[in-house]
Amino acid sequence: GNSVTQMEGPVTLSEEAFLTINCTYTATGYPSLFWYVQYPGEGLQLLLKATKADDKGSNKGFEATYRKETTSFHLEKGSVQVSDSAVYFCALSVVGGTSYGKLTFGQGTILTVHP
Amino acid sequence: SQTIHQWPATLVQPVGSPLSLECTVEGTSNPNLYWYRQAAGRGLQLLFYSVGIGQISSEVPQNLSASRPQDRQFILSSKKLLLSDSGFYLCAWSIGTSGYTDTQYFGPGTRLTVL
């Protein structure tokens, strides 16, 4: 089956620090990979995605590269801000068949950024 | 552009009472629709998905049911709520193209507390 494993949190950083949140996956077929962000009390927002090996997704200073050889999709940001404090979810979806775009999520990583 | 609405935003219900949560999508036709539950503010569990009117697939056995009476309307229901039904319920949609994996877009969520 499909699964996503994220690094355990919570992660606490100072403003302007470098961020890495690790994500690895197992999947049958050819997955698309996603990072979603959830701000307190809100729904999930798509942060970035990559649909094939070696693709790099990027948005709002965040980046993640689809690494097929290591089955990873680590999230990075060079300089975090207080406003980046949120829960980050890694997810995958497998193309085709009866998948109907169903997402498999990691457990989420809480990020807190202090001024 | 597409938007997704959920209501109510928050709900407090006694054990044994009925439940009806509604989700509607605007700006697209024949979307795939999904209901998720997020317990303890972290992981997401897919409850139901639908690829068309009247077509509902359940991912896990539970006290809940779903219906899709119209193309862009998805309803989550229960006849008798349990304490364990408390959580944050998220509706999502994706483009309904058969066999193609696309991004899911989430609504703002409904916070349900069962007392």
Side-chain angles (χ1 to χ4, degrees):
Chain A
N2 302 327
S3 67
V4 175
T5 302
Q6 290 180 234
M7 65 183 289
E8 289 290 329
V11 174
T12 303
L13 296 173
S14 297
E15 206 165 24
E16 299 184 359
F18 183 85
L19 169 71
T20 299
I21 300 178
N22 290 339
C23 172
T24 57
Y25 67 90
T26 58
T28 55
Y30 303 96
S32 293
L33 302 173
F34 305 83
W35 277 101
Y36 282 86
V37 58
Q38 184 178 32
Y39 298 102
E42 299 182 8
L44 274 68
Q45 301 177 24
L46 176 69
L47 183 58
L48 52 85
K49 72 176 185 180
T51 57
K52 61 183 186 295
D54 299 325
D55 270 1
K56 177 185 284 188
S58 61
N59 185 27
K60 299 180 181 179
F62 291 89
E63 293 183 341
T65 301
Y66 188 144
R67 301 287 188 196
K68 187 177 179 181
E69 64 276 12
T70 55
T71 61
S72 65
F73 193 55
H74 304 323
L75 182 68
E76 297 181 337
K77 186 174 185 182
S79 176
V80 294
Q81 305 300 312
V82 173
S83 57
D84 293 327
S85 298
V87 183
Y88 291 82
F89 291 93
C90 185
L92 70 81
S93 182
V94 177
V95 175
T98 57
S99 67
Y100 299 116
K102 289 184 287 183
L103 287 169
T104 300
F105 283 93
Q107 68 270 37
T109 301
I110 299 172
L111 170 66
T112 303
V113 180
H114 293 296
Chain B
S1 64
Q2 301 87 2
T3 55
I4 178 169
H5 305 280
Q6 286 185 246
W7 62 88
T10 60
L11 190 61
V12 180
Q13 291 285 91
V15 170
S17 64
L19 173 73
S20 181
L21 303 182
E22 189 166 342
C23 170
T24 58
V25 181
E26 297 177 354
T28 188
S29 296
N30 195 33
N32 293 334
L33 296 171
Y34 311 85
W35 277 112
Y36 291 87
R37 178 168 58 202
Q38 186 177 30
R42 292 291 299 275
L44 289 102
Q45 180 185 38
L46 178 63
L47 302 176
F48 301 95
Y49 68 94
S50 171
V51 300
I53 296 174
Q55 301 179 58
I56 309 294
S57 296
S58 174
E59 287 292 293
V60 292
Q62 59 211 315
N63 185 42
L64 302 169
S65 62
S67 62
R68 185 171 177 173
Q70 300 180 41
D71 181 43
R72 290 169 287 179
Q73 184 184 33
F74 205 22
I75 297 173
L76 185 69
S77 304
S78 175
K79 293 182 179 178
K80 290 186 178 181
L81 282 169
L82 306 172
L83 287 174
S84 57
D85 292 324
S86 293
F88 192 47
Y89 288 82
L90 290 160
C91 181
W93 73 274
S94 68
I95 293 174
T97 303
S98 176
Y100 177 75
T101 299
D102 205 347
T103 305
Q104 286 189 25
Y105 300 94
F106 286 78
T110 295
R111 175 77 59 192
L112 172 66
T113 303
V114 182
L115 301 175

